[in-house]
Amino acid sequence: MSGKKRASPGTDTEKNPLEGVELSDEDAQKLQDIQRQIERTELLLERRGHQALLPVHEKRRAIVKTIPKFWPIALMNHPLISFQAQHSIDRVALSYLEDLWVTRDPKEPRCFTIELYFKSNPYFTDSVLKKEYKYVLPAAAAVEKPDEDGLTPSMLDFSWSRDVQPSATKINWKDPENALTKMHPRVEEEDEEESDMPAEAGSFFNFFEIASDPFDIGTTLANEVFADATDYFLGNVPSDELDSDEEESEDEDDDAEEIDLEKPRSKKQKKE
């Protein structure tokens, strides 16, 4: 029996209908213009959103101050922060945390200052540890005039790596020889060309004493933990995040239980 063999679907005999689509210069410009408007609107909404949330966050601040270990628990229920505070002595030090606050730059809300407030503890004398992510105006901004909403072209071309300068804060350790950042220093990668990430993160408190933030702890604290603090405290985060975090820190469960940072996990619920 003979006959002509059919071409299989997807063979070269069938022309891809998505190939050969051309974009005119006029249409390309229209797309760029509308994208610019979208980015401008999103930036305005973000700024107004932070302004509207400020009084609500202040109310929450007053409430959580009456709840023991609210912020240490919220921090440890975030997988990145929990991993960065993997040394048990870091977790003990963080158990003295009483308050966490984020202040946004009024002109550039994507930049902020993080403040961690501690009660008296055996490790350092500071009552507040602060890290600022300062907005550094690009050179082009010197001749720009803000529009009616206070926005400039440079703000729409915002680049975190170019326009933000993180600060470092010296911690006043009670026993400098046993400072947590000395016991567990950040170890840089020997071959920086292969990776710009440290070989070892070391103590969580390196986040304050070293300006660079390669693990994005600052943006995680400001945009995730602070924004959704109640959910993190109650464990109302995707279960896979908490489960993976629990697996990674199985060998430190005893230490975590000792300082009682895991207790509210019994209330864990999956967000609808």
Side-chain angles (χ1 to χ4, degrees):
M1 188 175 180
S2 61
K4 188 174 180 181
K5 187 176 180 181
R6 282 186 174 184
S8 302
T11 60
D12 292 338
T13 58
E14 295 182 7
K15 186 177 180 180
N16 187 342
L18 302 182
E19 288 182 353
V21 176
E22 295 184 359
L23 185 65
S24 68
D25 291 342
E26 182 182 0
D27 285 340
Q29 187 61 51
K30 288 179 180 178
L31 287 176
Q32 291 177 6
D33 292 343
I34 197 65
Q35 182 61 30
R36 197 78 167 174
Q37 292 180 39
I38 291 172
E39 292 172 356
R40 184 181 185 280
T41 303
E42 288 177 341
L43 181 55
L44 284 173
L45 288 173
E46 182 177 358
R47 175 185 292 180
R48 291 167 184 168
H50 289 308
Q51 292 172 345
L53 282 169
L54 180 57
V56 183
H57 285 155
E58 288 174 339
K59 290 180 180 179
R60 183 187 69 186
R61 188 180 200 181
I63 294 171
V64 303
K65 282 183 177 180
T66 66
I67 301 174
K69 299 180 183 177
F70 177 92
W71 284 110
I73 291 168
L75 290 178
M76 290 306 101
N77 272 349
H78 190 289
L80 173 66
I81 306 304
S82 179
F83 180 77
Q84 292 299 320
Q86 58 186 301
H87 298 290
S88 60
I89 196 168
D90 276 345
R91 298 190 176 205
V92 174
L94 284 170
S95 71
Y96 291 91
L97 180 63
E98 292 185 305
D99 188 22
L100 188 156
W101 191 251
V102 174
T103 302
R104 297 279 174 174
D105 185 322
K107 293 184 178 180
E108 179 44 79
R110 290 167 290 193
C111 296
F112 48 82
T113 298
I114 299 173
E115 295 174 314
L116 272 64
Y117 294 77
F118 291 84
K119 59 185 175 182
S120 179
N121 63 81
Y123 303 100
F124 42 82
T125 60
D126 308 272
S127 59
V128 183
L129 295 181
K130 180 187 298 186
K131 191 175 186 75
E132 180 182 8
Y133 291 80
K134 184 178 181 180
Y135 179 52
V136 180
L137 289 171
V143 295
E144 294 176 343
K145 291 185 178 180
D147 61 18
E148 65 275 11
D149 293 308
L151 301 183
T152 64
S154 292
M155 290 180 178
L156 297 178
D157 290 327
F158 179 82
S159 166
W160 181 267
S161 59
R162 181 195 66 199
D163 301 335
V164 180
Q165 181 178 332
S167 68
T169 298
K170 179 183 180 298
I171 299 176
N172 295 299
W173 300 99
K174 290 184 176 180
D175 182 1
E177 290 302 313
N178 290 311
L180 304 190
T181 51
K182 185 173 183 178
M183 294 170 59
H184 303 289
R186 181 185 292 178
V187 180
E188 300 298 334
E189 185 67 53
E190 291 184 5
D191 190 349
E192 295 183 358
E193 292 184 0
E194 288 189 6
S195 174
D196 57 357
M197 297 293 287
E200 294 180 22
S203 170
F204 170 82
F205 292 89
N206 287 309
F207 165 67
F208 294 101
E209 292 202 319
I210 302 175
S212 65
D213 182 14
F215 302 103
D216 295 328
I217 296 175
T219 52
T220 299
L221 290 175
N223 299 334
E224 297 180 28
V225 178
F226 183 78
D228 299 315
T230 301
D231 282 341
Y232 280 104
F233 173 74
L234 296 176
N236 293 343
V237 291
S239 58
D240 56 340
E241 287 189 9
L242 286 181
D243 292 342
S244 62
D245 177 39
E246 288 167 356
E247 290 173 5
E248 290 172 357
S249 59
E250 279 182 359
D251 59 343
E252 298 199 31
D253 282 348
D254 292 339
D255 294 319
E257 183 65 27
E258 181 181 343
I259 57 176
D260 200 23
L261 295 188
E262 307 294 333
K263 191 175 180 180
R265 290 200 177 184
S266 61
K267 302 178 183 177
K268 180 170 64 177
Q269 300 174 6
K270 189 173 181 180
K271 247 185 173 178
E272 296 297 333

PDB file of all heavy atoms in Angstrom, residues 73-102:
ATOM      1  N   ILE A  73       9.215  37.135  65.875  1.00  0.00           N
ATOM      2  CA  ILE A  73       8.488  36.024  65.267  1.00  0.00           C
ATOM      3  C   ILE A  73       8.188  36.312  63.805  1.00  0.00           C
ATOM      4  O   ILE A  73       8.346  35.446  62.935  1.00  0.00           O
ATOM      5  CB  ILE A  73       7.192  35.738  66.056  1.00  0.00           C
ATOM      6  CG1 ILE A  73       7.539  35.168  67.433  1.00  0.00           C
ATOM      7  CG2 ILE A  73       6.295  34.766  65.300  1.00  0.00           C
ATOM      8  CD1 ILE A  73       6.371  35.117  68.386  1.00  0.00           C
ATOM      9  N   ALA A  74       7.741  37.541  63.517  1.00  0.00           N
ATOM     10  CA  ALA A  74       7.458  37.911  62.127  1.00  0.00           C
ATOM     11  C   ALA A  74       8.707  37.761  61.258  1.00  0.00           C
ATOM     12  O   ALA A  74       8.648  37.248  60.138  1.00  0.00           O
ATOM     13  CB  ALA A  74       6.937  39.348  62.064  1.00  0.00           C
ATOM     14  N   LEU A  75       9.853  38.180  61.781  1.00  0.00           N
ATOM     15  CA  LEU A  75      11.112  38.050  61.035  1.00  0.00           C
ATOM     16  C   LEU A  75      11.451  36.592  60.767  1.00  0.00           C
ATOM     17  O   LEU A  75      11.810  36.211  59.644  1.00  0.00           O
ATOM     18  CB  LEU A  75      12.255  38.713  61.807  1.00  0.00           C
ATOM     19  CG  LEU A  75      12.254  40.236  61.905  1.00  0.00           C
ATOM     20  CD1 LEU A  75      13.441  40.700  62.745  1.00  0.00           C
ATOM     21  CD2 LEU A  75      12.311  40.879  60.525  1.00  0.00           C
ATOM     22  N   MET A  76      11.353  35.759  61.808  1.00  0.00           N
ATOM     23  CA  MET A  76      11.745  34.362  61.648  1.00  0.00           C
ATOM     24  C   MET A  76      10.772  33.580  60.776  1.00  0.00           C
ATOM     25  O   MET A  76      11.111  32.501  60.287  1.00  0.00           O
ATOM     26  CB  MET A  76      11.863  33.698  63.022  1.00  0.00           C
ATOM     27  CG  MET A  76      13.044  34.182  63.853  1.00  0.00           C
ATOM     28  SD  MET A  76      14.658  34.048  63.001  1.00  0.00           S
ATOM     29  CE  MET A  76      14.890  35.751  62.484  1.00  0.00           C
ATOM     30  N   ASN A  77       9.582  34.101  60.568  1.00  0.00           N
ATOM     31  CA  ASN A  77       8.631  33.432  59.683  1.00  0.00           C
ATOM     32  C   ASN A  77       8.811  33.829  58.220  1.00  0.00           C
ATOM     33  O   ASN A  77       8.055  33.371  57.362  1.00  0.00           O
ATOM     34  CB  ASN A  77       7.193  33.726  60.123  1.00  0.00           C
ATOM     35  CG  ASN A  77       6.700  32.723  61.153  1.00  0.00           C
ATOM     36  OD1 ASN A  77       7.331  31.703  61.399  1.00  0.00           O
ATOM     37  ND2 ASN A  77       5.570  33.023  61.770  1.00  0.00           N
ATOM     38  N   HIS A  78       9.797  34.688  57.955  1.00  0.00           N
ATOM     39  CA  HIS A  78      10.125  34.989  56.560  1.00  0.00           C
ATOM     40  C   HIS A  78      11.345  34.146  56.181  1.00  0.00           C
ATOM     41  O   HIS A  78      12.377  34.191  56.858  1.00  0.00           O
ATOM     42  CB  HIS A  78      10.441  36.476  56.367  1.00  0.00           C
ATOM     43  CG  HIS A  78      10.542  36.846  54.918  1.00  0.00           C
ATOM     44  ND1 HIS A  78      11.600  36.445  54.109  1.00  0.00           N
ATOM     45  CD2 HIS A  78       9.696  37.559  54.108  1.00  0.00           C
ATOM     46  CE1 HIS A  78      11.417  36.894  52.887  1.00  0.00           C
ATOM     47  NE2 HIS A  78      10.268  37.572  52.853  1.00  0.00           N
ATOM     48  N   PRO A  79      11.265  33.355  55.117  1.00  0.00           N
ATOM     49  CA  PRO A  79      12.355  32.418  54.802  1.00  0.00           C
ATOM     50  C   PRO A  79      13.713  33.069  54.583  1.00  0.00           C
ATOM     51  O   PRO A  79      14.720  32.536  55.027  1.00  0.00           O
ATOM     52  CB  PRO A  79      11.864  31.702  53.535  1.00  0.00           C
ATOM     53  CG  PRO A  79      10.761  32.558  52.996  1.00  0.00           C
ATOM     54  CD  PRO A  79      10.142  33.240  54.172  1.00  0.00           C
ATOM     55  N   LEU A  80      13.757  34.224  53.908  1.00  0.00           N
ATOM     56  CA  LEU A  80      15.052  34.868  53.670  1.00  0.00           C
ATOM     57  C   LEU A  80      15.655  35.378  54.968  1.00  0.00           C
ATOM     58  O   LEU A  80      16.840  35.157  55.243  1.00  0.00           O
ATOM     59  CB  LEU A  80      14.905  36.022  52.678  1.00  0.00           C
ATOM     60  CG  LEU A  80      16.175  36.864  52.491  1.00  0.00           C
ATOM     61  CD1 LEU A  80      17.280  36.045  51.854  1.00  0.00           C
ATOM     62  CD2 LEU A  80      15.906  38.117  51.674  1.00  0.00           C
ATOM     63  N   ILE A  81      14.843  36.051  55.793  1.00  0.00           N
ATOM     64  CA  ILE A  81      15.360  36.593  57.037  1.00  0.00           C
ATOM     65  C   ILE A  81      15.749  35.472  57.986  1.00  0.00           C
ATOM     66  O   ILE A  81      16.783  35.536  58.656  1.00  0.00           O
ATOM     67  CB  ILE A  81      14.325  37.529  57.696  1.00  0.00           C
ATOM     68  CG1 ILE A  81      13.881  38.616  56.714  1.00  0.00           C
ATOM     69  CG2 ILE A  81      14.905  38.155  58.951  1.00  0.00           C
ATOM     70  CD1 ILE A  81      14.998  39.452  56.144  1.00  0.00           C
ATOM     71  N   SER A  82      14.946  34.431  58.026  1.00  0.00           N
ATOM     72  CA  SER A  82      15.261  33.289  58.882  1.00  0.00           C
ATOM     73  C   SER A  82      16.584  32.655  58.461  1.00  0.00           C
ATOM     74  O   SER A  82      17.403  32.267  59.306  1.00  0.00           O
ATOM     75  CB  SER A  82      14.140  32.250  58.795  1.00  0.00           C
ATOM     76  OG  SER A  82      14.428  31.130  59.594  1.00  0.00           O
ATOM     77  N   PHE A  83      16.824  32.570  57.156  1.00  0.00           N
ATOM     78  CA  PHE A  83      18.079  32.004  56.674  1.00  0.00           C
ATOM     79  C   PHE A  83      19.251  32.916  57.016  1.00  0.00           C
ATOM     80  O   PHE A  83      20.323  32.444  57.401  1.00  0.00           O
ATOM     81  CB  PHE A  83      18.009  31.791  55.163  1.00  0.00           C
ATOM     82  CG  PHE A  83      19.268  31.211  54.582  1.00  0.00           C
ATOM     83  CD1 PHE A  83      19.557  29.863  54.718  1.00  0.00           C
ATOM     84  CD2 PHE A  83      20.171  32.024  53.913  1.00  0.00           C
ATOM     85  CE1 PHE A  83      20.728  29.335  54.194  1.00  0.00           C
ATOM     86  CE2 PHE A  83      21.346  31.508  53.389  1.00  0.00           C
ATOM     87  CZ  PHE A  83      21.627  30.146  53.534  1.00  0.00           C
ATOM     88  N   GLN A  84      19.061  34.217  56.886  1.00  0.00           N
ATOM     89  CA  GLN A  84      20.138  35.159  57.179  1.00  0.00           C
ATOM     90  C   GLN A  84      20.440  35.215  58.684  1.00  0.00           C
ATOM     91  O   GLN A  84      21.537  35.601  59.082  1.00  0.00           O
ATOM     92  CB  GLN A  84      19.778  36.555  56.676  1.00  0.00           C
ATOM     93  CG  GLN A  84      19.722  36.670  55.165  1.00  0.00           C
ATOM     94  CD  GLN A  84      21.050  36.369  54.497  1.00  0.00           C
ATOM     95  OE1 GLN A  84      22.094  36.759  54.982  1.00  0.00           O
ATOM     96  NE2 GLN A  84      21.012  35.661  53.379  1.00  0.00           N
ATOM     97  N   ALA A  85      19.464  34.824  59.505  1.00  0.00           N
ATOM     98  CA  ALA A  85      19.672  34.764  60.955  1.00  0.00           C
ATOM     99  C   ALA A  85      19.768  33.304  61.395  1.00  0.00           C
ATOM    100  O   ALA A  85      19.207  32.903  62.409  1.00  0.00           O
ATOM    101  CB  ALA A  85      18.535  35.472  61.686  1.00  0.00           C
ATOM    102  N   GLN A  86      20.521  32.516  60.636  1.00  0.00           N
ATOM    103  CA  GLN A  86      20.570  31.079  60.894  1.00  0.00           C
ATOM    104  C   GLN A  86      21.405  30.716  62.121  1.00  0.00           C
ATOM    105  O   GLN A  86      21.249  29.633  62.677  1.00  0.00           O
ATOM    106  CB  GLN A  86      21.115  30.359  59.669  1.00  0.00           C
ATOM    107  CG  GLN A  86      22.504  30.815  59.231  1.00  0.00           C
ATOM    108  CD  GLN A  86      22.927  30.160  57.935  1.00  0.00           C
ATOM    109  OE1 GLN A  86      22.996  28.938  57.853  1.00  0.00           O
ATOM    110  NE2 GLN A  86      23.189  30.951  56.907  1.00  0.00           N
ATOM    111  N   HIS A  87      22.292  31.620  62.542  1.00  0.00           N
ATOM    112  CA  HIS A  87      23.072  31.343  63.753  1.00  0.00           C
ATOM    113  C   HIS A  87      22.187  31.557  64.976  1.00  0.00           C
ATOM    114  O   HIS A  87      21.522  32.583  65.101  1.00  0.00           O
ATOM    115  CB  HIS A  87      24.300  32.254  63.815  1.00  0.00           C
ATOM    116  CG  HIS A  87      25.257  32.053  62.674  1.00  0.00           C
ATOM    117  ND1 HIS A  87      26.025  30.922  62.541  1.00  0.00           N
ATOM    118  CD2 HIS A  87      25.550  32.840  61.600  1.00  0.00           C
ATOM    119  CE1 HIS A  87      26.762  31.007  61.445  1.00  0.00           C
ATOM    120  NE2 HIS A  87      26.487  32.168  60.853  1.00  0.00           N
ATOM    121  N   SER A  88      22.174  30.596  65.872  1.00  0.00           N
ATOM    122  CA  SER A  88      21.269  30.673  67.015  1.00  0.00           C
ATOM    123  C   SER A  88      21.514  31.919  67.852  1.00  0.00           C
ATOM    124  O   SER A  88      20.572  32.505  68.401  1.00  0.00           O
ATOM    125  CB  SER A  88      21.408  29.419  67.884  1.00  0.00           C
ATOM    126  OG  SER A  88      22.745  29.281  68.365  1.00  0.00           O
ATOM    127  N   ILE A  89      22.772  32.380  67.935  1.00  0.00           N
ATOM    128  CA  ILE A  89      23.058  33.570  68.740  1.00  0.00           C
ATOM    129  C   ILE A  89      22.456  34.820  68.098  1.00  0.00           C
ATOM    130  O   ILE A  89      22.069  35.759  68.791  1.00  0.00           O
ATOM    131  CB  ILE A  89      24.589  33.723  68.959  1.00  0.00           C
ATOM    132  CG1 ILE A  89      24.848  34.713  70.101  1.00  0.00           C
ATOM    133  CG2 ILE A  89      25.295  34.152  67.678  1.00  0.00           C
ATOM    134  CD1 ILE A  89      26.278  34.708  70.575  1.00  0.00           C
ATOM    135  N   ASP A  90      22.342  34.838  66.763  1.00  0.00           N
ATOM    136  CA  ASP A  90      21.636  35.935  66.083  1.00  0.00           C
ATOM    137  C   ASP A  90      20.170  35.957  66.498  1.00  0.00           C
ATOM    138  O   ASP A  90      19.588  37.012  66.759  1.00  0.00           O
ATOM    139  CB  ASP A  90      21.719  35.761  64.563  1.00  0.00           C
ATOM    140  CG  ASP A  90      23.003  36.320  63.975  1.00  0.00           C
ATOM    141  OD1 ASP A  90      23.687  37.077  64.676  1.00  0.00           O
ATOM    142  OD2 ASP A  90      23.314  35.999  62.817  1.00  0.00           O
ATOM    143  N   ARG A  91      19.568  34.782  66.547  1.00  0.00           N
ATOM    144  CA  ARG A  91      18.149  34.694  66.894  1.00  0.00           C
ATOM    145  C   ARG A  91      17.910  35.112  68.340  1.00  0.00           C
ATOM    146  O   ARG A  91      16.897  35.746  68.644  1.00  0.00           O
ATOM    147  CB  ARG A  91      17.639  33.279  66.639  1.00  0.00           C
ATOM    148  CG  ARG A  91      17.732  32.880  65.177  1.00  0.00           C
ATOM    149  CD  ARG A  91      17.019  31.591  64.870  1.00  0.00           C
ATOM    150  NE  ARG A  91      17.055  31.314  63.439  1.00  0.00           N
ATOM    151  CZ  ARG A  91      16.169  30.560  62.805  1.00  0.00           C
ATOM    152  NH1 ARG A  91      15.164  30.021  63.466  1.00  0.00           N
ATOM    153  NH2 ARG A  91      16.270  30.356  61.498  1.00  0.00           N
ATOM    154  N   VAL A  92      18.829  34.754  69.198  1.00  0.00           N
ATOM    155  CA  VAL A  92      18.691  35.177  70.597  1.00  0.00           C
ATOM    156  C   VAL A  92      18.781  36.700  70.668  1.00  0.00           C
ATOM    157  O   VAL A  92      17.987  37.352  71.359  1.00  0.00           O
ATOM    158  CB  VAL A  92      19.762  34.527  71.488  1.00  0.00           C
ATOM    159  CG1 VAL A  92      19.692  35.086  72.902  1.00  0.00           C
ATOM    160  CG2 VAL A  92      19.591  33.009  71.516  1.00  0.00           C
ATOM    161  N   ALA A  93      19.746  37.282  69.955  1.00  0.00           N
ATOM    162  CA  ALA A  93      19.877  38.741  69.954  1.00  0.00           C
ATOM    163  C   ALA A  93      18.631  39.408  69.382  1.00  0.00           C
ATOM    164  O   ALA A  93      18.163  40.425  69.895  1.00  0.00           O
ATOM    165  CB  ALA A  93      21.117  39.157  69.166  1.00  0.00           C
ATOM    166  N   LEU A  94      18.068  38.828  68.323  1.00  0.00           N
ATOM    167  CA  LEU A  94      16.870  39.395  67.718  1.00  0.00           C
ATOM    168  C   LEU A  94      15.637  39.225  68.600  1.00  0.00           C
ATOM    169  O   LEU A  94      14.636  39.925  68.403  1.00  0.00           O
ATOM    170  CB  LEU A  94      16.616  38.748  66.350  1.00  0.00           C
ATOM    171  CG  LEU A  94      17.533  39.223  65.214  1.00  0.00           C
ATOM    172  CD1 LEU A  94      17.354  38.337  63.987  1.00  0.00           C
ATOM    173  CD2 LEU A  94      17.246  40.682  64.864  1.00  0.00           C
ATOM    174  N   SER A  95      15.685  38.324  69.570  1.00  0.00           N
ATOM    175  CA  SER A  95      14.541  38.158  70.471  1.00  0.00           C
ATOM    176  C   SER A  95      14.336  39.382  71.352  1.00  0.00           C
ATOM    177  O   SER A  95      13.284  39.541  71.973  1.00  0.00           O
ATOM    178  CB  SER A  95      14.717  36.904  71.336  1.00  0.00           C
ATOM    179  OG  SER A  95      15.737  37.085  72.308  1.00  0.00           O
ATOM    180  N   TYR A  96      15.333  40.278  71.394  1.00  0.00           N
ATOM    181  CA  TYR A  96      15.205  41.528  72.168  1.00  0.00           C
ATOM    182  C   TYR A  96      14.600  42.658  71.328  1.00  0.00           C
ATOM    183  O   TYR A  96      14.465  43.778  71.808  1.00  0.00           O
ATOM    184  CB  TYR A  96      16.576  41.965  72.687  1.00  0.00           C
ATOM    185  CG  TYR A  96      17.132  41.049  73.759  1.00  0.00           C
ATOM    186  CD1 TYR A  96      17.937  39.965  73.427  1.00  0.00           C
ATOM    187  CD2 TYR A  96      16.850  41.264  75.109  1.00  0.00           C
ATOM    188  CE1 TYR A  96      18.443  39.113  74.400  1.00  0.00           C
ATOM    189  CE2 TYR A  96      17.344  40.430  76.099  1.00  0.00           C
ATOM    190  CZ  TYR A  96      18.143  39.348  75.735  1.00  0.00           C
ATOM    191  OH  TYR A  96      18.639  38.517  76.701  1.00  0.00           O
ATOM    192  N   LEU A  97      14.258  42.358  70.072  1.00  0.00           N
ATOM    193  CA  LEU A  97      13.678  43.362  69.183  1.00  0.00           C
ATOM    194  C   LEU A  97      12.265  43.728  69.643  1.00  0.00           C
ATOM    195  O   LEU A  97      11.415  42.847  69.831  1.00  0.00           O
ATOM    196  CB  LEU A  97      13.637  42.829  67.750  1.00  0.00           C
ATOM    197  CG  LEU A  97      13.060  43.742  66.675  1.00  0.00           C
ATOM    198  CD1 LEU A  97      13.902  44.996  66.518  1.00  0.00           C
ATOM    199  CD2 LEU A  97      12.950  42.991  65.350  1.00  0.00           C
ATOM    200  N   GLU A  98      12.014  45.011  69.809  1.00  0.00           N
ATOM    201  CA  GLU A  98      10.707  45.487  70.268  1.00  0.00           C
ATOM    202  C   GLU A  98       9.891  46.171  69.183  1.00  0.00           C
ATOM    203  O   GLU A  98       8.667  46.175  69.232  1.00  0.00           O
ATOM    204  CB  GLU A  98      10.884  46.476  71.430  1.00  0.00           C
ATOM    205  CG  GLU A  98      11.404  45.859  72.713  1.00  0.00           C
ATOM    206  CD  GLU A  98      11.434  46.866  73.845  1.00  0.00           C
ATOM    207  OE1 GLU A  98      12.062  47.936  73.671  1.00  0.00           O
ATOM    208  OE2 GLU A  98      10.829  46.587  74.894  1.00  0.00           O
ATOM    209  N   ASP A  99      10.572  46.749  68.204  1.00  0.00           N
ATOM    210  CA  ASP A  99       9.846  47.526  67.203  1.00  0.00           C
ATOM    211  C   ASP A  99      10.662  47.567  65.919  1.00  0.00           C
ATOM    212  O   ASP A  99      11.898  47.535  65.950  1.00  0.00           O
ATOM    213  CB  ASP A  99       9.599  48.949  67.722  1.00  0.00           C
ATOM    214  CG  ASP A  99       8.668  49.763  66.821  1.00  0.00           C
ATOM    215  OD1 ASP A  99       7.901  49.155  66.056  1.00  0.00           O
ATOM    216  OD2 ASP A  99       8.713  51.009  66.892  1.00  0.00           O
ATOM    217  N   LEU A 100       9.960  47.612  64.806  1.00  0.00           N
ATOM    218  CA  LEU A 100      10.591  47.750  63.497  1.00  0.00           C
ATOM    219  C   LEU A 100       9.791  48.804  62.740  1.00  0.00           C
ATOM    220  O   LEU A 100       8.564  48.729  62.668  1.00  0.00           O
ATOM    221  CB  LEU A 100      10.591  46.418  62.751  1.00  0.00           C
ATOM    222  CG  LEU A 100      11.373  46.327  61.435  1.00  0.00           C
ATOM    223  CD1 LEU A 100      11.766  44.877  61.157  1.00  0.00           C
ATOM    224  CD2 LEU A 100      10.565  46.854  60.242  1.00  0.00           C
ATOM    225  N   TRP A 101      10.491  49.776  62.178  1.00  0.00           N
ATOM    226  CA  TRP A 101       9.796  50.871  61.501  1.00  0.00           C
ATOM    227  C   TRP A 101      10.502  51.218  60.197  1.00  0.00           C
ATOM    228  O   TRP A 101      11.732  51.171  60.112  1.00  0.00           O
ATOM    229  CB  TRP A 101       9.736  52.105  62.401  1.00  0.00           C
ATOM    230  CG  TRP A 101       8.823  53.172  61.883  1.00  0.00           C
ATOM    231  CD1 TRP A 101       9.185  54.387  61.362  1.00  0.00           C
ATOM    232  CD2 TRP A 101       7.392  53.122  61.825  1.00  0.00           C
ATOM    233  NE1 TRP A 101       8.067  55.093  60.994  1.00  0.00           N
ATOM    234  CE2 TRP A 101       6.949  54.342  61.261  1.00  0.00           C
ATOM    235  CE3 TRP A 101       6.447  52.164  62.195  1.00  0.00           C
ATOM    236  CZ2 TRP A 101       5.601  54.622  61.058  1.00  0.00           C
ATOM    237  CZ3 TRP A 101       5.104  52.443  61.987  1.00  0.00           C
ATOM    238  CH2 TRP A 101       4.689  53.657  61.422  1.00  0.00           C
ATOM    239  N   VAL A 102       9.716  51.547  59.192  1.00  0.00           N
ATOM    240  CA  VAL A 102      10.237  51.932  57.879  1.00  0.00           C
ATOM    241  C   VAL A 102       9.718  53.326  57.546  1.00  0.00           C
ATOM    242  O   VAL A 102       8.505  53.569  57.568  1.00  0.00           O
ATOM    243  CB  VAL A 102       9.807  50.938  56.788  1.00  0.00           C
ATOM    244  CG1 VAL A 102      10.243  51.437  55.407  1.00  0.00           C
ATOM    245  CG2 VAL A 102      10.398  49.560  57.061  1.00  0.00           C
TER     246      VAL A 102
END
